[in-house]
Amino acid sequence: MQFDDVVRNRHSVRSYTNFPPSGTDVQRILEIANMAPSAGGLKARNIMVVRKGSKTEALAEACGGQQFVGEAPFVMVFCADIGRIKAYGERGEKLYCIQDTAAAVQNALLKAADLGIGSCWVGDFDPEKVTQVLGLPDHLIPQAIVPLGYEE
Ligand SMILES: Cc1cc2nc3c(=O)[nH]c(=O)nc-3n(C[C@H](O)[C@H](O)[C@H](O)COP(=O)(O)O)c2cc1C
């Protein structure tokens, strides 16, 4: 797809078929997400992919019961990595690592759209619950949750 068409066609998808995107496509989305710019090239972010199951159901609950999160075949969780941004002090921790993460989210949404895979940027969640569900270490702060699946 042409770049402008990808941007124009991307929209939030909140209902998915059961047919899962291939592992190869998920890998491509991850790769393009990680090519987003980052402060000092430090990539102060971490992206996890969770297959549909008990954890994604728990993530949906952490998103205030946004059930579509638990219904997607895959869920990506984007975290800021405050451990990797220490060189930039408070500005790094309060701003750069969050922007690094947001840039990666947008890349992921656009690559998913390019592959014909639906996604949605979900920001309304309880970060402490997400941390608990995924057993995240202290240096990873969840910023965005992105379910992936073919639009129903
Ligand atoms: C920071 C951020 C947080 C968002 N949080 C949610 C959310 O919790 N649940 C949801 O369904 N959509 C969420 N969205 C998606 C927006 O509702 C959506 O992007 C907007 O309505 C525009 O629609 P479009 O994505 O189809 O262009 C979020 C988007 C952003 C950028």
Side-chain angles (χ1 to χ4, degrees):
M1 224 190 287
Q2 290 292 310
F3 180 77
D4 287 10
D5 293 330
V6 173
V7 175
R8 282 201 184 91
N9 287 337
R10 186 216 57 81
H11 59 280
S12 294
V13 172
R14 300 181 178 87
S15 181
Y16 313 97
T17 69
N18 284 326
F19 187 73
S22 70
T24 307
D25 279 355
V26 173
Q27 196 57 44
R28 289 167 83 189
I29 293 167
L30 266 175
E31 188 189 331
I32 297 300
N34 260 318
M35 292 180 83
S38 62
L42 292 175
K43 298 193 175 184
R45 58 192 174 224
N46 181 289
I47 310 169
M48 265 154 273
V49 180
V50 188
R51 269 180 200 275
K52 183 178 178 179
S54 56
K55 279 209 162 94
T56 59
E57 280 171 22
L59 287 174
E61 289 314 310
C63 295
Q66 298 190 72
Q67 291 306 328
F68 66 92
V69 173
E71 289 160 10
F74 289 100
V75 176
M76 302 177 88
V77 181
F78 290 77
C79 297
D81 187 339
I82 57 172
R84 292 179 71 89
I85 202 75
K86 288 202 183 304
Y88 289 112
E90 189 179 350
R91 193 160 174 81
E93 185 172 330
K94 296 268 162 59
L95 181 66
Y96 295 165
C97 63
I98 294 164
Q99 293 184 334
D100 287 0
T101 310
V105 174
Q106 181 66 0
N107 270 22
L109 301 186
L110 291 176
K111 186 60 193 171
D114 183 45
L115 294 169
I117 295 168
S119 67
C120 182
W121 184 323
V122 175
D124 182 11
F125 57 80
D126 179 337
E128 284 177 16
K129 284 189 186 158
V130 171
T131 296
Q132 192 188 348
V133 169
L134 298 176
L136 298 177
D138 288 347
H139 61 97
L140 296 184
I141 316 295
Q143 303 292 333
I145 289 179
V146 175
L148 293 174
Y150 291 105
E151 185 167 18
E152 189 166 56

